[in-house]
Amino acid sequence: MPRTGIADDRETDGDAARHSEKVSDNDQDFDFDVAIIGGGSASEALLRELDGTDTSVVMFEPRLVGGECPFYACIPSKGLLHDVRAGRTWDEAVARRDDLVNHLDDSQHREDARDLGATIVSATAKITGPNTLVADGSEYTAAAIVIAIGAEVVIPDIDGLDRLGDRMWTSEDALTAHDRPQRLAIIGGGVIGSEVAQMYSGLGSDVTMIDRSQRPADDLHPEVSRLIAESHEWAGITVIYDAEVTACARTEGGVRVELADGRSVEADIALVAIGRKPDLSRLGLDVLGLDHDDLDVDDAGHIAGAGSLSIMGDAAGRQQYTHVANRHAAVVANHLTGDGSRSYDEAVVPACIFIDPPVFVIGDTYDDLADDSDIVWSETSVRVPRFSTDELPDGFVTLAGRRSTNTIVAAHGIGPRFDELSHALVIAIDGKVPIDVLQRTIQPFPTIGEILDVAFDDLADALAATADD
């Protein structure tokens, strides 16, 4: 991955002195009020939240300011998936993707960060003591430190995987590639694996996806899983479920992926997509008496026993979504400069899988609520007029309602344009809107949203039936 826009804007001694004067009212002189380790989406969001508060900020980012999302995650993946639906060729899709990601040039992100008052240091930072960091041989002090380093691809311990060299890809490779493999084997059938599988299959590759689960998204409603599997089949993907990869090897023509049951998959490239996790081992947390593998993080992102040290975004080890990272930034800012009233768990978390048709998951999963006796699930599978006018496939919605409150607490669905449908359900859940009120809402005709009319009625019937039992 090329590094671009890496000029260091560390301030002069005079500038740093002015910052020290600003915070000297706190009886301690620091170079900055806040130091952010990492320059991804969460960090950019934190800068926006702190804008106008007269807070001095230094941000350490050794690669691309903006992080993964705009360069080799959310934006390129959604662009390529759109190109599949639009019927574009690989070359057309790659050209448009490169424009979308500004050819991996983060200069606009850097300019925006500077406009928000940040000093950018293009180096990795390490904590060397309370309120102290070192980056590229220079020392910095800050009244508060915020960790926002994101998460890294998990590379499983599979025999031979480390010897595949450039024949092994991660999602970053897949989303920045200019040459398309004719045959692609994907190890992992989760969100990333599914999206990459559909985009590469749609752009002409023969794709085989290997999933350890017995069905896709196995913690969701079984009908959602069935429809995801059907979606992969329509996309021309070969999926091997309930499979364990035991070894990988380079071959004359590419790679061979061997399975525990004796089968093997031949491909040009093997892509690893089994998940991501933060690596906090290089931050120097041990100097603060902290175990990087066992941090006590509260619902405001504050790390216990470490002074003013917080963690947010993917690094916090919670849901790994850009929108969650941005919300974390708002919470951290509230505790740094506000009344300290906000919490990471203050709102329900929505998520989408952007396959065709898309999936939404709002709140807890089907498995999470399976043992809750106060929960009733409804199922809705119906065609509304917009499905017919636009020649769209059927959709499925399942809602979890709480008997004691007659409100929705979770929602899952798969269907055409359902990623946009999710917003109404987020508001219904966060607002704790009673089901009888939701039944009286009006959906515009003819829209996909009309399926909610039926879904609300179905949940009301399910809640009423259990009340009569």
Side-chain angles (χ1 to χ4, degrees), residues 370-385:
D371 297 327
D372 191 330
S373 60
D374 197 30
I375 294 296
V376 175
W377 287 90
S378 66
E379 300 178 11
T380 301
S381 182
V382 64
R383 292 185 66 82
V384 294

Side-chain angles (χ1 to χ4, degrees), residues 2 89 106 158 165 220 226 240 257 291 309 326 333 338 363 376 381 393 434 454:
T89 66
D106 68 348
I158 296 174
L220 302 186
R226 187 188 71 79
I240 305 174
V257 179
D291 180 352
L309 180 63
N326 293 344
V376 175
S381 182
V454 186

Side-chain angles (χ1 to χ4, degrees), residues 206-374:
D206 294 327
V207 178
T208 300
M209 187 163 61
I210 303 161
D211 191 353
R212 295 184 65 177
S213 302
Q214 294 185 351
R215 57 184 173 92
D218 60 354
D219 58 345
L220 302 186
H221 190 286
E223 181 65 6
V224 174
S225 292
R226 187 188 71 79
L227 291 171
I228 293 174
E230 192 174 271
S231 169
H232 291 331
E233 184 179 348
W234 288 342
I237 302 163
T238 300
V239 185
I240 305 174
Y241 294 109
D242 195 18
E244 181 181 355
V245 176
T246 57
C248 297
R250 287 189 73 115
T251 64
E252 184 176 346
V255 299
R256 182 173 61 253
V257 179
E258 299 177 0
L259 309 183
D261 63 5
R263 288 180 291 175
S264 63
V265 176
E266 301 283 339
D268 301 310
I269 295 290
L271 185 147
V272 176
I274 68 167
R276 305 174 66 87
K277 68 177 182 180
D279 181 4
L280 308 177
S281 63
R282 298 186 294 270
L283 293 178
L285 293 171
D286 56 308
V287 303
L288 301 179
L290 299 174
D291 180 352
H292 63 264
D293 285 327
D294 188 25
L295 296 179
D296 182 4
V297 181
D298 66 19
D299 284 333
H302 183 258
I303 299 174
S308 187
L309 180 63
S310 300
I311 189 166
M312 64 181 185
D314 291 0
R318 302 193 180 200
Q319 299 95 334
Q320 295 178 0
Y321 307 116
T322 298
H323 48 280
V324 171
N326 293 344
R327 175 55 58 90
H328 284 185
V331 173
V332 169
N334 172 258
H335 285 261
L336 288 172
T337 61
D339 62 8
S341 63
R342 300 188 62 176
S343 168
Y344 280 1
D345 62 357
E346 65 188 7
V348 69
V349 175
C352 295
I353 308 174
F354 295 94
I355 57 175
D356 191 12
V359 178
F360 67 74
V361 181
I362 304 168
D364 288 334
T365 67
Y366 196 70
D367 279 0
D368 289 334
L369 298 172
D371 297 327
D372 191 330
S373 60
D374 197 30

Side-chain angles (χ1 to χ4, degrees), residues 101-113:
V101 303
N102 198 25
H103 299 271
L104 302 181
D105 180 354
D106 68 348
S107 56
Q108 185 60 56
H109 289 266
R110 287 176 176 263
E111 181 179 341
D112 291 344

